[in-house]
PDB file of all heavy atoms in Angstrom:
ATOM      1  N   ARG G 342      97.035  17.326 144.570  1.00  0.00           N
ATOM      2  CA  ARG G 342      97.054  18.195 143.349  1.00  0.00           C
ATOM      3  C   ARG G 342      97.457  19.680 143.773  1.00  0.00           C
ATOM      4  O   ARG G 342      96.832  20.205 144.631  1.00  0.00           O
ATOM      5  CB  ARG G 342      95.646  18.244 142.821  1.00  0.00           C
ATOM      6  CG  ARG G 342      95.496  18.870 141.550  1.00  0.00           C
ATOM      7  CD  ARG G 342      94.152  18.595 140.845  1.00  0.00           C
ATOM      8  NE  ARG G 342      94.069  17.297 140.375  1.00  0.00           N
ATOM      9  CZ  ARG G 342      93.258  16.835 139.503  1.00  0.00           C
ATOM     10  NH1 ARG G 342      92.337  17.742 139.018  1.00  0.00           N
ATOM     11  NH2 ARG G 342      93.259  15.508 139.008  1.00  0.00           N
ATOM     12  N   ASP G 414      99.894  13.903 142.112  1.00  0.00           N
ATOM     13  CA  ASP G 414      98.777  14.130 141.225  1.00  0.00           C
ATOM     14  C   ASP G 414      99.249  15.226 140.536  1.00  0.00           C
ATOM     15  O   ASP G 414     100.547  15.682 140.333  1.00  0.00           O
ATOM     16  CB  ASP G 414      97.519  14.268 141.972  1.00  0.00           C
ATOM     17  CG  ASP G 414      96.309  14.183 141.029  1.00  0.00           C
ATOM     18  OD1 ASP G 414      96.105  13.213 140.540  1.00  0.00           O
ATOM     19  OD2 ASP G 414      95.778  15.273 140.664  1.00  0.00           O
ATOM     20  N   GLY G 416     100.662  18.479 139.059  1.00  0.00           N
ATOM     21  CA  GLY G 416     101.437  19.549 139.697  1.00  0.00           C
ATOM     22  C   GLY G 416     102.225  19.169 140.816  1.00  0.00           C
ATOM     23  O   GLY G 416     102.924  20.122 141.332  1.00  0.00           O
ATOM     24  N   ARG G 454     107.441   2.957 139.926  1.00  0.00           N
ATOM     25  CA  ARG G 454     106.218   3.773 140.284  1.00  0.00           C
ATOM     26  C   ARG G 454     106.049   4.979 139.372  1.00  0.00           C
ATOM     27  O   ARG G 454     104.908   5.260 139.043  1.00  0.00           O
ATOM     28  CB  ARG G 454     106.528   4.402 141.694  1.00  0.00           C
ATOM     29  CG  ARG G 454     105.482   5.421 142.243  1.00  0.00           C
ATOM     30  CD  ARG G 454     104.078   4.840 142.272  1.00  0.00           C
ATOM     31  NE  ARG G 454     102.980   5.804 142.515  1.00  0.00           N
ATOM     32  CZ  ARG G 454     102.378   6.566 141.697  1.00  0.00           C
ATOM     33  NH1 ARG G 454     102.604   6.411 140.287  1.00  0.00           N
ATOM     34  NH2 ARG G 454     101.411   7.404 141.954  1.00  0.00           N
ATOM     35  N   THR G 458     101.309   4.479 136.303  1.00  0.00           N
ATOM     36  CA  THR G 458     100.022   4.757 135.898  1.00  0.00           C
ATOM     37  C   THR G 458      99.944   4.592 134.378  1.00  0.00           C
ATOM     38  O   THR G 458      98.863   3.904 133.909  1.00  0.00           O
ATOM     39  CB  THR G 458      99.581   6.311 136.222  1.00  0.00           C
ATOM     40  OG1 THR G 458      99.985   6.450 137.585  1.00  0.00           O
ATOM     41  CG2 THR G 458      98.218   6.605 135.898  1.00  0.00           C
ATOM     42  N   PHE G 487     100.879  15.843 128.646  1.00  0.00           N
ATOM     43  CA  PHE G 487     102.264  15.174 128.509  1.00  0.00           C
ATOM     44  C   PHE G 487     102.967  15.281 129.853  1.00  0.00           C
ATOM     45  O   PHE G 487     104.179  15.637 129.833  1.00  0.00           O
ATOM     46  CB  PHE G 487     102.920  15.881 127.326  1.00  0.00           C
ATOM     47  CG  PHE G 487     103.960  14.953 126.683  1.00  0.00           C
ATOM     48  CD1 PHE G 487     103.542  13.956 125.837  1.00  0.00           C
ATOM     49  CD2 PHE G 487     105.341  15.084 126.929  1.00  0.00           C
ATOM     50  CE1 PHE G 487     104.447  13.054 125.300  1.00  0.00           C
ATOM     51  CE2 PHE G 487     106.302  14.243 126.199  1.00  0.00           C
ATOM     52  CZ  PHE G 487     105.741  13.334 125.424  1.00  0.00           C
ATOM     53  N   GLY G 488     102.348  15.021 130.885  1.00  0.00           N
ATOM     54  CA  GLY G 488     102.880  14.914 132.195  1.00  0.00           C
ATOM     55  C   GLY G 488     103.220  13.605 132.627  1.00  0.00           C
ATOM     56  O   GLY G 488     103.642  12.788 131.665  1.00  0.00           O
ATOM     57  N   ASN G 489     103.154  13.188 133.859  1.00  0.00           N
ATOM     58  CA  ASN G 489     103.561  11.898 134.341  1.00  0.00           C
ATOM     59  C   ASN G 489     102.695  10.806 133.435  1.00  0.00           C
ATOM     60  O   ASN G 489     103.437   9.985 132.942  1.00  0.00           O
ATOM     61  CB  ASN G 489     103.199  11.702 135.877  1.00  0.00           C
ATOM     62  CG  ASN G 489     103.402  10.287 136.245  1.00  0.00           C
ATOM     63  OD1 ASN G 489     102.578   9.424 136.164  1.00  0.00           O
ATOM     64  ND2 ASN G 489     104.717  10.021 136.706  1.00  0.00           N
ATOM     65  N   VAL G 490     101.434  10.948 133.433  1.00  0.00           N
ATOM     66  CA  VAL G 490     100.541   9.947 132.732  1.00  0.00           C
ATOM     67  C   VAL G 490     100.755   9.946 131.238  1.00  0.00           C
ATOM     68  O   VAL G 490     101.156   8.919 130.649  1.00  0.00           O
ATOM     69  CB  VAL G 490      99.258   9.988 133.240  1.00  0.00           C
ATOM     70  CG1 VAL G 490      98.216   8.831 132.633  1.00  0.00           C
ATOM     71  CG2 VAL G 490      99.027   9.938 134.638  1.00  0.00           C
ATOM     72  N   SER G 511      99.733  21.876 128.457  1.00  0.00           N
ATOM     73  CA  SER G 511      98.851  23.024 128.598  1.00  0.00           C
ATOM     74  C   SER G 511      99.094  24.310 127.757  1.00  0.00           C
ATOM     75  O   SER G 511      98.392  25.073 127.544  1.00  0.00           O
ATOM     76  CB  SER G 511      98.865  23.468 130.160  1.00  0.00           C
ATOM     77  OG  SER G 511     100.135  23.862 130.343  1.00  0.00           O
ATOM     78  N   ASN G 547      94.078  21.896 121.586  1.00  0.00           N
ATOM     79  CA  ASN G 547      93.791  20.792 122.430  1.00  0.00           C
ATOM     80  C   ASN G 547      92.484  20.253 122.077  1.00  0.00           C
ATOM     81  O   ASN G 547      92.146  18.990 122.271  1.00  0.00           O
ATOM     82  CB  ASN G 547      93.859  21.156 123.971  1.00  0.00           C
ATOM     83  CG  ASN G 547      95.151  20.651 124.589  1.00  0.00           C
ATOM     84  OD1 ASN G 547      95.207  19.468 124.707  1.00  0.00           O
ATOM     85  ND2 ASN G 547      95.943  21.557 125.018  1.00  0.00           N
ATOM     86  N   ALA G 562      95.076  14.674 131.073  1.00  0.00           N
ATOM     87  CA  ALA G 562      95.322  15.958 131.598  1.00  0.00           C
ATOM     88  C   ALA G 562      94.346  16.211 132.712  1.00  0.00           C
ATOM     89  O   ALA G 562      94.549  15.652 133.926  1.00  0.00           O
ATOM     90  CB  ALA G 562      95.360  16.951 130.701  1.00  0.00           C
ATOM     91  N   GLY G 583      93.138   8.112 131.026  1.00  0.00           N
ATOM     92  CA  GLY G 583      94.450   8.234 131.782  1.00  0.00           C
ATOM     93  C   GLY G 583      94.167   9.335 132.934  1.00  0.00           C
ATOM     94  O   GLY G 583      94.602   9.121 134.019  1.00  0.00           O
ATOM     95  N   ALA G 584      93.382  10.404 132.460  1.00  0.00           N
ATOM     96  CA  ALA G 584      93.085  11.337 133.642  1.00  0.00           C
ATOM     97  C   ALA G 584      91.790  10.732 134.450  1.00  0.00           C
ATOM     98  O   ALA G 584      91.158   9.806 133.960  1.00  0.00           O
ATOM     99  CB  ALA G 584      92.701  12.661 133.060  1.00  0.00           C
ATOM    100  N   ASN G 585      91.611  11.474 135.475  1.00  0.00           N
ATOM    101  CA  ASN G 585      90.325  11.065 136.289  1.00  0.00           C
ATOM    102  C   ASN G 585      89.108  12.137 135.859  1.00  0.00           C
ATOM    103  O   ASN G 585      89.324  13.225 135.747  1.00  0.00           O
ATOM    104  CB  ASN G 585      90.611  11.496 137.812  1.00  0.00           C
ATOM    105  CG  ASN G 585      91.403  10.447 138.425  1.00  0.00           C
ATOM    106  OD1 ASN G 585      91.167   9.239 138.475  1.00  0.00           O
ATOM    107  ND2 ASN G 585      92.666  10.830 139.131  1.00  0.00           N
TER     108      ASN G 585
HETATM  109  P1  NAD M 279     101.045  16.197 135.581  1.00  0.00           P
HETATM  110  O1  NAD M 279     100.953  17.500 136.313  1.00  0.00           O
HETATM  111  O2  NAD M 279     102.287  15.344 135.584  1.00  0.00           O
HETATM  112  O3  NAD M 279     100.724  16.479 134.030  1.00  0.00           O
HETATM  113  C1  NAD M 279      99.576  17.084 133.588  1.00  0.00           C
HETATM  114  C2  NAD M 279      99.648  17.398 132.078  1.00  0.00           C
HETATM  115  O4  NAD M 279      98.413  17.820 131.604  1.00  0.00           O
HETATM  116  C3  NAD M 279     100.818  18.387 131.793  1.00  0.00           C
HETATM  117  O5  NAD M 279     101.441  17.999 130.674  1.00  0.00           O
HETATM  118  C4  NAD M 279     100.059  19.657 131.588  1.00  0.00           C
HETATM  119  O6  NAD M 279     100.709  20.615 130.753  1.00  0.00           O
HETATM  120  C5  NAD M 279      98.778  19.136 130.902  1.00  0.00           C
HETATM  121  N1  NAD M 279      97.662  20.061 131.011  1.00  0.00           N
HETATM  122  C6  NAD M 279      97.155  20.753 132.023  1.00  0.00           C
HETATM  123  N2  NAD M 279      96.052  21.472 131.558  1.00  0.00           N
HETATM  124  C7  NAD M 279      95.940  21.098 130.370  1.00  0.00           C
HETATM  125  C8  NAD M 279      94.879  21.500 129.461  1.00  0.00           C
HETATM  126  N3  NAD M 279      93.926  22.478 129.752  1.00  0.00           N
HETATM  127  N4  NAD M 279      94.883  20.842 128.224  1.00  0.00           N
HETATM  128  C9  NAD M 279      95.871  20.100 127.791  1.00  0.00           C
HETATM  129  N5  NAD M 279      96.876  19.668 128.819  1.00  0.00           N
HETATM  130  C10 NAD M 279      96.810  20.149 129.905  1.00  0.00           C
HETATM  131  O7  NAD M 279      99.840  15.292 136.036  1.00  0.00           O
HETATM  132  P2  NAD M 279      99.625  13.737 135.909  1.00  0.00           P
HETATM  133  O8  NAD M 279     100.088  13.140 137.292  1.00  0.00           O
HETATM  134  O9  NAD M 279     100.170  13.219 134.719  1.00  0.00           O
HETATM  135  O10 NAD M 279      97.959  13.587 136.066  1.00  0.00           O
HETATM  136  C11 NAD M 279      97.234  13.806 134.894  1.00  0.00           C
HETATM  137  C12 NAD M 279      95.828  13.247 135.138  1.00  0.00           C
HETATM  138  O11 NAD M 279      96.072  11.795 135.521  1.00  0.00           O
HETATM  139  C13 NAD M 279      95.018  13.777 136.303  1.00  0.00           C
HETATM  140  O12 NAD M 279      93.738  13.717 135.973  1.00  0.00           O
HETATM  141  C14 NAD M 279      95.376  12.920 137.434  1.00  0.00           C
HETATM  142  O13 NAD M 279      94.402  12.859 138.462  1.00  0.00           O
HETATM  143  C15 NAD M 279      95.356  11.491 136.734  1.00  0.00           C
HETATM  144  N6  NAD M 279      96.143  10.411 137.462  1.00  0.00           N
HETATM  145  C16 NAD M 279      97.502  10.619 137.698  1.00  0.00           C
HETATM  146  C17 NAD M 279      98.234   9.639 138.357  1.00  0.00           C
HETATM  147  C18 NAD M 279      99.545   9.701 138.769  1.00  0.00           C
HETATM  148  O14 NAD M 279     100.105   8.635 139.135  1.00  0.00           O
HETATM  149  N7  NAD M 279     100.234  10.677 138.488  1.00  0.00           N
HETATM  150  C19 NAD M 279      97.511   8.431 138.867  1.00  0.00           C
HETATM  151  C20 NAD M 279      96.154   8.290 138.516  1.00  0.00           C
HETATM  152  C21 NAD M 279      95.490   9.163 137.762  1.00  0.00           C
END
Side-chain angles (χ1 to χ4, degrees):
R342 179 171 292 197
D414 191 73
R454 171 62 184 91
T458 306
F487 209 71
N489 174 277
V490 183
S511 59
N547 255 296
N585 286 306

